[in-house]
Amino acid sequence: MGSRAITRISLLAAMIAVLGLLPTFHLPLAGGVPITAQTLGVMLAGIVLGPRQGALSVMLLLLVVALGAPLLAGGRGGLGVFFAPSTGFLLGWIPGAFVTGVVMQRLTKVPVFAAALAAAAAGGIVVVYGCGIVGLMIVAHMGALQAMLATSVFLPGDLVKVIASAFLARGAEQAYPAALGYRS
């Protein structure tokens, strides 16, 4: 892996961290899992970097968080975040970014906007929610239906993030065609 790839991975990890600075919303229905902007960064990591590097950028962020850096929304960090109700979502970011990148790679014949919509929905919603639901069932001791219902409160905001990621992907492609060069 070259220095350019390492730089891009680091920049996307930093972007996800910066999105954690935006205000969070806590809903009692979701077992204490906050609504954050950081999933937008996870979606963009897969869209912009592709599967492998997108997942690596999320892994880098989570490693730094595990070491104690308060980079998650609300200034959270340290190993404790991986034992909280949100742990399934956090760990789900890794396969979420990977799947987002895989879908983007597979949809090379589809315009970037539509490909990014499908990719962000598949990785950023389906995969991350699947992991989040399992995490709520294990850590918060919720039943499957209760965990699914609790997770559903995130859907409207995440659909907005899916649309935003598609607009950002299209804008990146128009401004700098090589930004999504792995799709060619």
Side-chain angles (χ1 to χ4, degrees):
M1 185 178 317
S3 59
R4 178 178 163 93
I6 291 169
T7 301
R8 288 170 51 103
I9 289 166
S10 300
L11 285 173
L12 263 293
M15 184 190 70
I16 298 168
V18 168
L19 288 169
L21 297 174
L22 297 175
T24 63
F25 300 96
H26 293 274
L27 300 174
L29 300 172
V33 178
I35 295 175
T36 76
Q38 288 182 295
T39 48
L40 173 62
V42 171
M43 294 172 191
L44 289 171
I47 289 169
V48 172
L49 298 177
R52 185 169 167 266
Q53 291 182 13
L56 285 172
S57 71
V58 174
M59 290 171 67
L60 174 61
L61 173 75
L62 294 179
L63 173 66
V64 174
V65 166
L67 293 173
L71 300 177
L72 295 178
R76 297 173 302 130
L79 289 176
V81 300
F82 297 101
F83 298 96
S86 61
T87 192
F89 292 96
L90 293 177
L91 295 176
W93 287 358
I94 298 166
F98 185 85
V99 168
T100 300
V102 167
V103 173
M104 280 298 289
Q105 274 186 334
R106 299 257 166 100
L107 297 178
T108 56
K109 304 272 190 260
V110 176
V112 167
F113 186 85
L117 277 176
I125 293 180
V126 175
V127 173
V128 172
Y129 280 37
C131 295
I133 288 167
V134 171
L136 286 173
M137 291 170 62
I138 294 169
V139 178
H141 307 289
M142 291 183 178
L145 182 60
Q146 184 184 10
M148 284 188 267
L149 289 172
T151 302
S152 69
V153 301
F154 301 115
L155 194 55
D158 284 335
L159 288 172
V160 169
K161 293 173 203 170
V162 165
I163 294 166
S165 68
F167 276 111
L168 290 168
R170 185 175 65 190
E173 180 194 45
Q174 290 172 347
Y176 181 62
L180 305 174
Y182 71 91
R183 289 186 77 219
S184 27

